Structure formats: C-alpha cells, structure tokens
Amino acid sequence: MIQVLTAKIVYYQMALHFSSACLCSLSQMRGQKIRAVAPESSVTVNSEEDKVKLGGSDLKVTKLGIGAWSWGDTSYWNNFEWDDKKLKAAKTAFDASIDCGITFIDTAEVYGSRFSFGAINSETLLGRFIKERKEKDPEVEVAVATKFAALPWRLGRLSVLAALKDSLARMELSSVDLYQLHWPGIWGNEGYIDGLGDAVEQGLVKAVGVSNYSEKRLRDAYEQLKRRGIPLASNQVNYSLIYRFPEQNGVKAACDELGVTLIAYSPIAQGALTGKYTPENPPTGPRGQIYTPEFLTELQPLINRIKEIGESYNKTSTQVVLNWLIAQENVVPIPGAKNAEQAKEFGGALGWRLTQQEIDQLRSLASELKPVTGFPVEKL
C-alpha cells in the first residue's frame, strides 16, 4: 500500500509540477542509461514496409518511436539539473534515432517546463534538433507527436487550439503529425475533443489522439470524433511487461476493436526491465520510490529469463522487452532515449520476433509480480 501511494504521489507531482508553476506565474504556465549495443544488434528502418498506420488515420509512423520526456527536464529526470553535456547527449539521441530510421518522436508541452529551474522545454529542443538536421539533410522527415495539458483553468475547444499554436511556435513548425490530449481533464473533456477536431480541420495536425484514457473515455472520444468524420488515431498509455493494466482494464481490447493504435510509454518500465538495476543498485530519484530494492528482488527471475532469451537471439534485454510489446500487435512502443547508445539499442528491437512460447512465458513470469502503479487518471 505504501508503494502504491508513493507512486501515485510521484505521478501526480509530474502532472501538477507544470500546473503549480503556471498558477504562480499567473499571479505574477517516458530514458535511462542502457548498455551500448553491438553493431549486429541494431536494425536500420528504411522502407515504408517498416511503418504502420496510426489507427484509422492516414499517418504512418515507424513501428517504434522515441520518447523525449527527459529532454530538458529537471523535475523527474536528469538528477534535477540540465547542462550542456545533457543537451549534447539528447541531440545525439535524436540524430542516432533518425540515422536508424526511427523517425517518430513524442514530446509534450509539459516536458521540461520552462518554469523549472535550469529546464529547457522538450518541444523547443525537438524543434531545434529538427531544424539543424534539415540543414544537413533537407529531405529528412520526422513524425512529430506532442500533447495538450488538460490544466484545470483551460476550458473549451479554443484552449486546445491556443496550446497547439504555442507548441508549434516553440518547435518552429507549421503543423505536427499527431496531437494528443495528455490526460483527461477534471472537466471540459468534450470541448477538448472538439478542439482536436478543429485542429484537424484547420490543417494544424495530421492525426489526433488521447493519452491515459480509460476504456469508457476512449470510446466516448472515438464516437465524438467519428461524428465529424475524424478518426481517433491513438491512445498513449503506460504499458510494459510488468505494467499490463491496459490488458486488464479493457483499454487494449477497445483499441483493437475500434482500430485505435495503442502507443506504449514507459515500455521498459523506466529502465527496470533492462537489467541495469538490482536490489543493491536501485534507480535514484523518484523512480527509486517505485522500483524499490524489495520489488527489484522479486523482479530478478523475470530479468534473468529475459536475459537468457536475449542471448539466444544475440539481443539485449531492452530489445527483448520492446519486441514483446510489438508482438502484442497494434502497439507502438516509445522508449525514452537520453543518448545515442540508447537510441541505437532501441532499433535492435525491430526486424525479428519472439516465439509465442517465449511471449507467453514472459507474461506468466511477470504475472507473479505485484503490479506497479501507473498514472492514476487511467482509473477515472
């Protein structure tokens, strides 16, 4: 119970960090270090066959994307500080992703809030990286996804368009490929969905999605957009081998039924599934409150089996757990990359597939663990 409450507090702090800073200003608004990969473990995505359509939209993205949550952040990642060294590492992560053919990058307006000491907005960094890359390679195409923060004082469809235009200004882009509602609002959700539809009709986005939506909220959003002839492309939720709540709460089944792509954030459980952390060496910062020495002790049998399977394919543990998610079908994982080594390693999750026996065995071992806690709004 203590672990559950602690985790909820951590995740609420993530969501409210930006909100509290914005309120203050008004009175005055999913990567971890991973082992480097041997060259033979990486894969280069280089054809349309290596892409999938997001839901019923016309937008095609790579089967695996990159999460930019850590870029510029000082509230959850980077040991609460940001410097030139971390900036250069994030830039190499972006370039390595593009070099591997992984061109789907997910960010959000609240990542790297400009009100955090020393932080740089993740959208600003992504826009800068894209601009610098295009100067060298004008033909490069990056599928950009970002998110609207359903802050309590944001009301109605116009707030969605205003926030989107602010995001576009930070990234210096005229449109984005995917715009998502980051979490359901306390109120005003129908207006937010209308705002997504308006964004499509005004040509500001190619596709729209939601994030952290329950089955009921997902179905409601799907039907509301459908009445305007607009497909709901995706629902981005916490999903990994040790966090399978989307399978249990009806979200995964609803996505499959409705033709909505499930985008999986924290697909390697913020590093817990990579084998890097042990009971003697738990993660630092907020993650250490979730992945405790006690939990990591219980996790070891699963970690050992993941490693064994990886060795049989000449793959890393990270690549195995990402492949496990891809094998669930209609799932696009977006692990967070802090540096080039991580980005290159993620590419090695593509181009092969675990056997059904291995998939089932890993799920069985994971089922013996106490569930970790995700973003609380999923249960609303």
Side-chain angles (χ1 to χ4, degrees):
M1 180 62 71
I2 292 176
Q3 180 187 7
V4 171
L5 291 175
T6 300
K8 284 188 176 183
I9 291 171
V10 168
Y11 276 93
Y12 274 128
Q13 286 175 335
M14 287 160 31
L16 295 178
H17 173 78
F18 183 80
S19 304
S20 61
C22 289
L23 284 172
C24 179
S25 69
L26 287 175
S27 64
Q28 303 269 350
M29 196 155 11
R30 308 166 169 186
Q32 48 284 335
K33 187 175 181 180
I34 304 172
R35 295 179 291 118
V37 178
E40 62 268 25
S41 293
S42 62
V43 171
T44 299
V45 180
N46 53 22
S47 74
E48 287 299 308
E49 295 178 359
D50 294 315
K51 295 184 177 182
V52 293
K53 286 181 65 176
L54 277 188
S57 74
D58 293 328
L59 176 61
K60 284 188 174 184
V61 300
T62 45
K63 294 180 180 179
L64 183 146
I66 295 294
W69 177 12
S70 69
W71 296 359
D73 180 73
T74 60
S75 62
Y76 194 83
W77 300 102
N78 301 307
N79 295 319
F80 305 102
E81 62 182 10
W82 186 254
D83 55 31
D84 287 343
K85 183 177 180 180
K86 292 183 175 65
L87 172 60
K88 291 177 181 177
K91 177 62 163 61
T92 65
F94 171 83
D95 283 329
S97 299
I98 304 303
D99 291 341
C100 291
I102 300 175
T103 57
F104 180 41
I105 314 291
D106 178 86
T107 184
E109 63 174 317
V110 296
Y111 295 165
S113 164
R114 62 188 182 279
F115 295 97
S116 299
F117 178 75
I120 299 176
N121 191 281
S122 176
E123 290 180 327
T124 300
L125 291 178
L126 178 56
R128 183 187 305 173
F129 296 163
I130 293 173
K131 183 177 181 180
E132 291 173 354
R133 182 72 182 218
K134 280 184 172 291
E135 288 175 354
K136 299 178 181 179
D137 182 7
E139 301 301 317
V140 68
E141 295 293 336
V142 180
V144 175
T146 192
K147 310 181 197 73
F148 165 84
L151 303 170
W153 57 88
R154 284 180 162 173
L155 303 175
R157 64 207 304 169
L158 293 179
S159 66
V160 175
L161 291 174
L164 172 57
K165 290 175 182 178
D166 285 344
S167 290
L168 292 174
R170 281 188 288 272
M171 292 185 283
E172 298 185 59
L173 297 174
S174 59
S175 66
V176 292
D177 296 270
L178 176 66
Y179 196 51
Q180 308 151 94
L181 303 181
H182 206 153
W183 60 80
I186 299 174
W187 48 68
N189 286 287
E190 290 188 358
Y192 295 156
I193 299 299
D194 285 335
L196 291 182
D198 294 343
V200 173
E201 292 176 352
Q202 293 183 25
L204 298 175
V205 300
K206 293 181 180 177
V208 290
V210 293
S211 181
N212 298 301
Y213 266 47
S214 65
E215 178 188 0
K216 183 181 185 306
R217 288 186 183 276
L218 174 69
R219 291 183 181 278
D220 289 346
Y222 175 88
E223 291 297 331
Q224 187 174 340
L225 287 169
K226 183 180 178 181
R227 289 193 289 271
R228 297 177 65 173
I230 298 171
L232 179 64
S234 59
N235 185 17
Q236 183 178 147
V237 296
N238 189 346
Y239 187 30
S240 71
L241 186 55
I242 58 173
Y243 187 80
R244 299 181 314 287
F245 191 52
E247 297 177 354
Q248 302 154 5
N249 65 1
V251 165
K252 176 65 167 66
C255 284
D256 293 345
E257 173 195 338
L258 300 174
V260 175
T261 300
L262 191 155
I263 298 176
Y265 71 78
S266 294
I268 53 179
Q270 299 180 24
L273 287 171
T274 67
K276 172 185 176 180
Y277 299 113
T278 65
E280 298 74 31
N281 178 40
T284 58
R287 287 179 294 161
Q289 301 176 52
I290 302 172
Y291 305 107
T292 63
E294 294 77 16
F295 180 82
L296 292 171
T297 298
E298 298 177 1
L299 186 63
Q300 288 312 297
L302 175 61
I303 293 296
N304 292 337
R305 183 56 186 144
I306 291 171
K307 183 178 179 181
E308 290 173 357
I309 292 174
E311 289 174 347
S312 70
Y313 288 96
N314 191 30
K315 297 292 182 180
T316 69
S317 295
T318 298
Q319 293 164 344
V320 170
V321 296
L322 289 174
N323 190 272
W324 184 90
L325 275 176
I326 294 169
Q328 305 310 307
E329 304 296 343
N330 195 35
V331 176
V332 175
I334 51 167
K338 280 187 173 182
N339 53 54
E341 289 73 22
Q342 291 178 357
K344 291 175 183 177
E345 182 172 15
F346 297 153
L350 300 170
W352 61 287
R353 182 185 173 95
L354 295 166
T355 67
Q356 191 59 50
Q357 182 179 9
E358 291 164 340
I359 292 168
D360 294 342
Q361 184 183 37
L362 291 177
R363 177 182 274 108
S364 178
L365 285 171
S367 298
E368 298 176 6
L369 298 167
K370 296 178 181 178
V372 294
T373 300
F375 199 24
V377 297
E378 292 176 278
K379 299 183 180 181
L380 297 178

